[in-house]
Amino acid sequence: MAACLAQFMTVLDVSVVNVALPAIQDALGFGDSGLTWVANGYSLAFGGCLLLGGRCADLFGHRRVFLAGVAVFGAASLLAGAAPGPGWLVAARVLQGLGGAVLSPATLAIVTTTFTGERARRSALGTWSAVGAVGGAAGGLLGGALVRWAGWRWIFLINVPIALAIGVIAVLFLARTGGARERPRLDVVGAALATGALVSLVYGATRLQDGGAAYLPFLLAIGLFAAFVRTERRSAAPLVPPGTLLRRPGLTINLTMAVLGCVAFTTWYFGALFLQRVAGLDAWHTGLAFLPQAACIIAGARLAGRLPGRIPPKRIVLAGTVCVVAGLGWYSTVDAGSAALTGVVPPGMLVTFGLGLSFGPLAALATGAAAEGDTGLAAGLLSTFRQIGAALGLAGLAWVAHARSSGLTASGTPAAVAEAAGFGRAFLVAAVLAAAATALAAAIPGGERRG
């Protein structure tokens, strides 16, 4: 229960922010490109430090690391809720991401090590996936309610009592694990280099959105990644053992998750902006519009948890990615005249159902292929790729949307029409990416033999 609640909280914090972005922008004076860092500050710290968090769970014990992650996340949420300006909020979001990076791999590792039987593990992973999916899809509804009746600061402050409750449950009921027998050694340098490379890469994409030169951040990202690879090869206790990133089937599974993370975040981010900026809904009604998506992602995740005994996980993932492609293709047809109930809600339901189908089987395939004692690392890698995909995808697709809408605005197109066209273009590119995820899922080796 504690692991599922923690997963709910960390995923919720990604999506709950989306419907509050216009209110945050007005209150703190963010620019359009700076606003993406409210989301990306969290995603980058989360994605950049997940490997370190996963390795910490293996070395220091899942329970101990879990409690540390809950404490950091709760404290950072309090700081975010008290933010007086843009810089403070982005810094607090980065700290939240760090807490989530420590917490998230521990939740998956706890689930996979607690439930050892094949059927029980499949059911537990289905529940874990469903709860996380609910956090992603229901964030819009909760965020809308909080913005309307309590103010945007409460989308962060709500995490504080949740974190306290999770901490109490974990202390009382979560079993202790011993971690590594020898003195643990952590590759902090490797984690810093990986995080720096990701930040530089996403900053470069943000510079493209602003119309600035991006080659220096991109070159820095390449240099930092090369230094990371060199460090990992020479380290006595590497963050990622040499060859792990390139080893199949893990690489194919992780790349599939990265693309799905990108399109999931795109669906919630641009969908929320479209409903408020173009369709004219307030935050509360935007949240209500996301409610059917929450139901669909739960249905997909629960169905995926029951099917592996009869259908191989690889085929379930393929079915899910096909649904995502179809939904995003439908989404790309939105325009300024699209109504929320016909232009946004139905395609969003199809996308989220496909995501619900895909996430659980991918987690089962990734952790099932891990060696004993490396479940935290496998969970960290999978979550890292998902967050990297979300951060880079948002930055890149925001540039796509901005380029399309600004070009139309310059030619005299009304603002609402231009902005809707920009969102449609971003959804179209996301559909192409989802098609690539389908091809990747088809290439997962041995998928038919698992389950």
Side-chain angles (χ1 to χ4, degrees):
M1 181 180 178
C4 287
L5 281 175
Q7 178 68 2
F8 174 84
M9 182 175 67
T10 56
V11 177
L12 174 73
D13 218 66
V14 176
S15 61
V16 75
V17 172
N18 291 333
V19 297
L21 288 175
I24 292 173
Q25 186 173 26
D26 292 340
L28 298 184
F30 276 97
D32 284 343
S33 61
L35 192 63
T36 63
W37 284 97
V38 177
N40 270 342
Y42 179 86
S43 295
L44 278 173
F46 199 173
C49 296
L50 271 165
L51 292 177
L52 185 63
R55 181 49 74 193
C56 283
D58 290 333
L59 294 178
F60 295 103
H62 301 155
R63 180 179 185 270
R64 187 181 303 168
V65 171
F66 179 88
L67 288 170
V70 169
V72 172
F73 196 94
S77 298
L78 184 61
L79 291 173
W88 180 306
L89 180 58
V90 172
R93 290 287 285 165
V94 170
L95 187 59
Q96 270 189 315
L98 178 60
V102 173
L103 184 59
S104 183
T107 68
L108 183 52
I110 287 168
V111 170
T112 55
T113 55
T114 300
F115 299 91
T116 54
E118 184 177 345
R119 178 175 296 182
R121 179 178 290 184
R122 281 202 303 262
S123 178
L125 283 171
T127 302
W128 176 86
S129 178
V131 170
V134 171
L141 179 62
L142 179 59
L146 290 172
V147 170
R148 180 172 183 177
W149 285 297
W152 65 265
R153 294 183 184 277
W154 278 96
I155 66 171
F156 304 114
L157 295 176
I158 193 66
N159 291 322
V160 177
I162 296 175
L164 288 172
I166 292 171
V168 170
I169 294 171
V171 168
L172 293 177
F173 300 109
L174 199 59
R176 294 179 181 270
T177 54
R181 293 183 178 180
E182 70 258 9
R183 182 181 178 183
R185 290 194 295 176
L186 290 175
D187 184 13
V188 178
V189 174
L193 289 172
T195 304
L198 290 174
V199 171
S200 298
L201 195 58
V202 176
Y203 177 69
T206 306
R207 290 283 293 165
L208 285 177
Q209 181 184 347
D210 292 339
Y215 62 90
L216 286 178
F218 287 150
L219 288 175
L220 179 60
I222 293 171
L224 289 172
F225 182 74
F228 169 73
V229 172
R230 185 176 182 181
T231 299
E232 296 307 283
R233 287 178 176 175
R234 295 184 173 187
S235 175
L239 189 64
V240 182
T244 298
L245 286 175
L246 300 178
R247 188 179 302 144
R248 297 178 73 193
L251 176 62
T252 313
I253 295 168
N254 288 329
L255 288 175
T256 304
M257 181 62 87
V259 180
L260 290 179
C262 164
V263 300
F265 206 96
T266 298
T267 300
W268 296 322
Y269 182 86
F270 289 114
L273 290 181
F274 179 90
L275 288 171
Q276 294 184 76
R277 291 182 177 178
V278 179
L281 301 185
D282 60 18
W284 166 242
H285 288 96
T286 296
L288 287 177
F290 277 100
L291 190 58
Q293 295 187 24
C296 285
I297 204 166
I298 294 169
R302 295 303 296 163
L303 180 61
R306 295 175 181 176
L307 289 177
R310 291 164 286 179
I311 301 175
K314 173 179 173 178
R315 293 184 183 178
I316 301 174
V317 175
L318 279 170
T321 58
V322 169
C323 290
V324 172
V325 173
L328 287 168
W330 188 355
Y331 235 142
S332 69
T333 63
V334 297
D335 56 33
S338 298
L341 292 180
T342 58
V344 175
V345 174
M349 292 170 65
L350 188 55
V351 171
T352 50
F353 179 76
L355 293 172
L357 274 180
S358 302
F359 284 155
L362 282 172
L365 288 168
T367 55
E372 185 178 356
D374 282 341
T375 54
L377 175 61
L381 275 172
L382 189 70
S383 297
T384 295
F385 274 81
R386 184 181 64 212
Q387 293 302 321
I388 290 171
L392 294 180
L394 176 59
L397 292 173
W399 173 75
V400 169
H402 178 76
R404 175 65 172 161
S405 60
S406 62
L408 290 174
T409 302
S411 65
T413 303
V417 175
E419 191 158 30
F423 294 150
R425 179 66 59 85
F427 284 127
L428 180 60
V429 175
V432 174
L433 292 173
T438 304
L440 284 166
I444 295 174
E448 290 83 358
R449 294 191 295 273
R450 286 186 180 89

